[in-house]
């Protein structure tokens, strides 16, 4: 199936979790571990999708910062009906998924920047997140 551009609106962003664990952070230690992951969900009635992105920063394999953010997107109704909703399935194109997750990852970086601007670990440089490696194919869900 050929996928065209699917119009959407960034409807809402929520910071679901933000925690710092000061005892797990050593300012003299310049090593940084990063764990990240995502969850995806959708609501067919509202023609909406959501991505939750979780970022954990670690030292010596112990988390010292946890940030979880959810981005909510409303898909243009005609695009939903013509491109996502099929007779027996919902098909979310890989390029749309990658784009939406990229927006949530970027938003998460901005939220983190704001929340840690006065923290001793504000100067850590985070590695890039390649969402094309995280999402490699369309998401397909059978209708029930």
């Amino acid at each position: 199936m050929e996928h065209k551009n699917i119009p959407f609106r960034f409807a809402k962003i929520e910071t679901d979790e933000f925690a710092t664990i000061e005892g797990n952070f050593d300012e003299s230690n310049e090593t940084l571990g990063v764990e990240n992951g995502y969850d995806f969900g959708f609501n067919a009635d509202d023609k909406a999708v959501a991505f939750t992105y979780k970022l954990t920063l670690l030292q010596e394999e112990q988390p010292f910062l946890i940030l979880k953010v959810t981005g909510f997107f409303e898909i243009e109704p005609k695009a939903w009906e013509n491109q996502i909703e099929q007779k027996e399935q919902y098909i979310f194109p890989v390029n749309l998924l990658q784009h939406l997750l990229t927006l949530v990852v970027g938003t998460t970086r901005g939220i983190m920047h704001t929340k840690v601007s006065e923290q001793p670990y504000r100067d850590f440089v985070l590695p890039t997140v390649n969402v094309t490696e995280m999402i490699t194919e369309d998401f397909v869900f059978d209708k029930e």
Side-chain angles (χ1 to χ4, degrees):
M1 170 189 290
E2 180 182 331
H3 299 296
K4 298 179 182 175
N5 287 334
I6 297 176
F8 66 90
R9 180 176 82 85
F10 206 146
K12 182 170 60 167
I13 192 81
E14 291 182 356
T15 302
D16 303 312
E17 182 178 3
F18 176 74
T20 57
I21 303 141
E22 300 299 328
N24 290 348
F25 179 73
D26 176 1
E27 197 168 347
S28 66
N29 183 349
E30 294 184 9
T31 62
L32 174 69
V34 178
E35 292 178 352
N36 63 17
Y38 71 89
D39 288 314
F40 172 80
F42 71 96
N43 182 315
D45 294 334
D46 294 336
K47 298 172 179 44
V49 300
F51 269 104
T52 299
Y53 176 70
K54 184 173 182 180
L55 173 69
T56 304
L57 303 183
L58 309 105
Q59 277 187 336
E60 306 298 326
E61 299 185 27
Q62 297 298 312
F64 67 88
L65 184 142
I66 301 167
L67 178 57
K68 186 164 74 168
V69 173
T70 302
F72 298 88
F73 303 90
E74 295 173 354
I75 306 297
E76 193 272 325
K78 286 184 182 178
W80 181 279
E81 293 163 7
N82 295 330
Q83 296 182 62
I84 292 175
E85 188 169 357
Q86 306 299 313
K87 188 174 187 174
E88 307 268 333
Q89 299 174 315
Y90 297 99
I91 301 173
F92 297 91
V94 64
N95 61 333
L96 173 68
L97 299 170
Q98 291 169 341
H99 184 68
L100 297 180
L101 182 56
T102 297
L103 293 173
V104 176
V105 168
T107 301
T108 302
R109 283 178 178 265
I111 291 169
M112 186 181 128
H113 172 76
T114 301
K115 290 195 173 281
V116 304
S117 64
E118 301 298 320
Q119 302 292 330
Y121 35 84
R122 69 183 170 273
D123 295 327
F124 275 119
V125 177
L126 296 176
T128 58
V129 177
N130 187 347
V131 300
T132 63
E133 293 175 356
M134 296 173 79
I135 302 175
T136 59
E137 58 190 20
D138 295 349
F139 287 0
V140 179
F141 300 92
D142 292 331
K143 289 184 177 180
E144 292 183 23

